[in-house]
Amino acid sequence: GAVVSQHPSRVICKSGTSVKIECRSLDFQATTMFWYRQFPKQSLMLMATSNEGSKATYEQGVEKDKFLINHASLTLSTLTVTSAHPEDSSFYICSARDRAPTAPTNEKLFFGSGTQLSVL
Amino acid sequence: AQSVTQLDSQVPVFEEAPVELRCNYSSSVSVYLFWYVQYPNQGLQLLLKYLSGSTLVESINGFEAEFNKSQTSFHLRKPSVHISDTAEYFCAVSEGPNTNTGNQFYFGTGTSLTVIP
């Protein structure tokens, strides 16, 4: 199946610093990528939808100036957590939508392996 | 908005024993239901899905799930687990099928299945 690579898998940073997370579709082109986060013991929640070449669409309650999303190519989207604080510590995961799914499954959505962010 | 409840955060089970991972969702409107699995250090992978038709769906590795509309449930079962089934399992609900244009997925909190030798 298609592969989505997400880096880094784990990052620890100091409060006030910025952290960039990359999401790459390795063997397909993704016109749309999604960013989710999961706080401990809570559900994966959609943060934003990223479309190649245009501005991301953020879910209610997600600060767009804090969580900068760039989707400059059909294979790469980045999420930058700016001025991270301890409350931003969470599990972040991306997914990418294949613009040309293949038979027989025609599955379109593929997930990265996630990034565990810890802000000290 | 939808909500998805996975009641069991951790499920330990002995090898070759049966297992059921529970999933309930909130909406009574038409939904599409999915189970994703995440093996250690890997991404979420689609395990099985219900879009329409037969309410019992199966995966290639022996898992099955049954859509129960009256109980708004989509429990995942396997009659005999293997060590390799140890993973995190996520139930998800969408208002559109994965094969269609992208729709928002609503995930449960995940169930960590540990198969004990």
Side-chain angles (χ1 to χ4, degrees):
Chain A
V3 176
V4 173
S5 174
Q6 185 174 343
H7 291 284
S9 59
R10 183 178 295 272
V11 58
I12 301 172
C13 68
K14 291 182 179 180
S15 184
T17 61
S18 295
V19 174
K20 180 185 284 189
I21 303 170
E22 289 190 351
C23 182
R24 291 179 186 273
S25 56
L26 295 186
D27 50 2
F28 65 96
Q29 293 184 324
T31 51
T32 305
M33 291 188 176
F34 304 89
W35 288 95
Y36 295 82
R37 66 180 168 186
Q38 183 182 28
F39 293 110
K41 299 186 180 180
Q42 297 186 28
S43 304
L44 275 168
M45 298 292 292
L46 181 66
M47 297 175 64
T49 302
S50 163
N51 292 298
E52 186 265 337
S54 63
K55 291 184 178 180
T57 304
Y58 291 82
E59 296 301 304
Q60 195 171 14
V62 179
E63 300 173 59
K64 60 182 178 182
D65 294 330
K66 181 171 184 63
F67 298 99
L68 301 179
I69 292 174
N70 184 287
H71 192 163
S73 78
L74 287 172
T75 59
L76 174 64
S77 176
T78 60
L79 168 68
T80 301
V81 183
T82 62
S83 186
H85 291 286
E87 58 265 30
D88 299 321
S89 297
S90 183
F91 181 73
Y92 294 84
I93 193 165
C94 69
S95 65
R97 191 167 77 206
D98 188 350
R99 68 186 232 170
T102 54
T105 65
N106 291 315
E107 186 179 340
K108 289 191 72 125
L109 202 62
F110 303 94
F111 288 82
S113 53
T115 298
Q116 184 65 51
L117 171 64
S118 299
V119 185
L120 305 178
Chain B
Q2 305 276 352
S3 71
V4 180
T5 303
Q6 289 183 248
L7 292 171
D8 308 303
S9 60
Q10 294 186 338
V11 174
V13 62
F14 286 103
E15 191 175 15
E16 297 183 3
V19 70
E20 179 179 79
L21 306 184
R22 295 178 291 173
C23 173
N24 289 86
Y25 61 95
S26 63
S27 177
S28 59
V29 300
S30 294
V31 293
Y32 301 87
L33 299 158
F34 306 84
W35 275 99
Y36 283 85
V37 58
Q38 185 173 30
Y39 298 106
N41 300 316
Q42 297 185 31
L44 284 168
Q45 302 173 34
L46 181 64
L47 184 61
L48 48 75
K49 60 188 176 186
Y50 169 77
L51 303 182
S52 64
S54 173
T55 57
L56 184 66
V57 291
E58 300 177 348
S59 72
I60 58 173
N61 57 353
F63 281 94
E64 65 178 29
E66 185 163 19
F67 168 53
N68 188 318
K69 188 175 182 178
S70 63
Q71 296 185 4
T72 59
S73 69
F74 192 54
H75 301 328
L76 181 70
R77 294 187 289 265
K78 188 170 185 179
S80 176
V81 295
H82 301 289
I83 297 291
S84 58
D85 294 324
T86 294
E88 189 86 14
Y89 292 80
F90 290 88
C91 181
V93 170
S94 173
E95 293 161 356
N98 189 12
T99 57
N100 208 329
T101 55
N103 289 280
Q104 183 169 341
F105 277 65
Y106 300 87
F107 286 88
T109 51
T111 298
S112 179
L113 174 64
T114 301
V115 180
I116 305 164

